[in-house]
């Protein structure tokens, strides 16, 4: 009886997860569909990825953008299934089918194309597509296209970073759009839309409130930690170290502060030790007291 109950609970949780994933795909499909059909497609821009390639093929064949995107993804899905694993591929197939079916069946036939300012259309389209893609990523899936292509390139050429591979693929598509539309502005708008989409994805996934991590090498690490905790209300971590050149013992103070507190923190540090060695780096995600709760991941 206990085993049957556990199986029922597991099946119910799985059903809830699948329903949540499908809902995310539907919402994402509408957002991306509106962004592509109503804004980006109307300004003759191809912002990279499978969608950008589909826009170009749409001009040649007249076939729906969603259908073309699915066809473009089919060989990539087969390669992903064989080379990259099955679980992620199954979720991606589901996402690609739902999102592109919504573009062709629920968005394109019923919603008008924006005919106003091309720059505004480029920005609005990039924002909508970015939010839609971020929703997909948060559900643990991907939108296929150049994401899979970049991973396949990196599998056989590990020295090439994923971001570099994505950029190369997208720039090829944007360059082709300039030749096809015979208008350099089409490529510029496509590039702007791609940058806006990437920025919105990062902002949606990681939030606007990025933090700054400070690494302070100083013999006055204890005093600096006390001052930072008192005036900025931020916790610190103390480490012991020894200079490789001087062979002298020293200390390290690690502290993560809000970006707005960085100027004040630096001023406090150099008031105590004008010779402190300070390393400042951006912390995209910080979990713990005073920052994000760990269950938001």
């Amino acid at each position: 009886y206990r085993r049957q109950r556990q199986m029922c609970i597991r099946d119910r949780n799985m059903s809830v997860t699948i329903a949540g994933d499908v809902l995310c795909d539907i919402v994402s499909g509408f957002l991306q569909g509106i962004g592509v059909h109503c804004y980006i497609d109307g300004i003759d821009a191809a912002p990279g990825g499978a969608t950008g390639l589909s826009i170009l093929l749409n001009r040649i064949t007249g076939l729906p953008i969603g259908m073309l995107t699915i066809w473009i993804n089919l060989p990539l899905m087969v390669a992903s299934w064989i080379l990259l694993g099955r679980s992620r591929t199954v979720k991606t197939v589901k996402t690609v089918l739902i999102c592109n079916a919504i573009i062709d069946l629920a968005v394109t036939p019923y919603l008008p194309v924006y005919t106003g300012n091309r720059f505004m259309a480029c920005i609005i389209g990039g924002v909508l597509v970015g939010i839609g893609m971020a929703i997909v990523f948060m559900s643990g899936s991907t939108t296929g296209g150049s994401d899979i292509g970049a991973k396949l390139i990196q599998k056989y050429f590990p020295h090439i970073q994923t971001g570099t591979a994505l950029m190369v693929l997208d720039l090829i598509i944007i360059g082709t759009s300039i030749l096809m539309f015979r208008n350099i502005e089409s490529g510029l708008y496509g590039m702007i839309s791609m940058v806006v989409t990437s920025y919105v994805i990062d902002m949606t996934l990681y939030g606007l409130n990025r933090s700054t991590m400070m690494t302070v090498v100083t013999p006055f690490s204890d005093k600096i930690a006390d001052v930072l905790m008192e005036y900025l209300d931020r916790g610190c971590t103390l480490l012991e170290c020894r200079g490789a050149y001087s062979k002298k013992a020293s200390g390290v103070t690690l502290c993560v502060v809000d970006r707005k507190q960085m100027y004040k923190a630096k001023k406090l540090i150099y008031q105590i030790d004008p010779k402190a060695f300070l390393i400042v780096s951006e912390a995209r995600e910080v979990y713990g007291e005073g920052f994000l709760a760990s269950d938001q991941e």
Side-chain angles (χ1 to χ4, degrees), residues 96-281:
V96 169
L97 291 176
I98 292 176
C99 289
N100 289 287
I102 289 175
I103 292 175
D104 286 348
L105 302 178
V107 175
T108 303
Y110 303 107
L111 297 181
V113 176
Y114 175 75
T115 57
N117 184 274
R118 293 182 71 189
F119 182 76
M120 289 301 300
C122 167
I123 298 295
I124 296 172
V127 169
L128 291 173
V129 173
I131 295 174
M133 292 181 68
I135 291 174
V136 167
F137 295 153
M138 285 189 289
S139 70
S141 184
T142 70
T143 56
S146 56
D147 295 343
I148 296 177
K151 286 182 171 58
L152 292 174
I153 290 174
Q154 195 179 37
K155 182 177 179 66
Y156 292 101
F157 302 95
H159 61 283
I160 299 178
Q161 295 182 350
T162 302
T164 303
L166 278 171
M167 183 180 65
V168 170
L169 293 173
D170 290 337
L171 288 178
I172 290 173
I173 295 172
I174 291 174
T176 305
S177 71
I178 296 176
L179 297 176
M180 178 171 291
F181 297 126
R182 298 180 180 180
N183 186 350
I184 193 171
E185 287 187 356
S186 296
L188 295 176
Y189 284 130
M191 190 173 296
I192 292 172
S193 180
M194 183 179 68
V195 170
V196 170
T197 296
S198 300
Y199 182 79
V200 170
I201 290 173
D202 286 343
M203 291 303 99
T204 305
L205 294 178
Y206 305 117
L208 291 169
N209 190 25
R210 293 186 179 179
S211 302
T212 300
M213 184 180 75
M214 299 184 303
T215 304
V216 190
V217 181
T218 172
F220 306 99
S221 56
D222 289 301
K223 190 172 182 180
I224 287 177
D226 291 339
V227 170
L228 293 177
M229 288 188 291
E230 179 180 356
Y231 289 96
L232 301 182
D233 195 26
R234 294 296 185 186
C236 298
T237 299
L238 298 177
L239 304 174
E240 295 181 357
C241 69
R242 185 167 64 93
Y245 177 76
S246 66
K247 307 301 181 184
K248 294 181 179 180
S250 185
V252 176
T253 303
L254 295 179
C255 184
V256 179
V257 299
D258 187 89
R259 185 183 294 178
K260 297 184 291 293
Q261 297 176 311
M262 180 58 213
Y263 174 78
K264 187 174 181 180
K266 188 166 73 170
K267 187 175 181 180
L268 291 171
I269 290 169
Y270 283 113
Q271 282 179 350
I272 296 172
D273 183 7
K275 296 182 179 180
F277 187 80
L278 175 63
I279 303 172
V280 179
S281 56

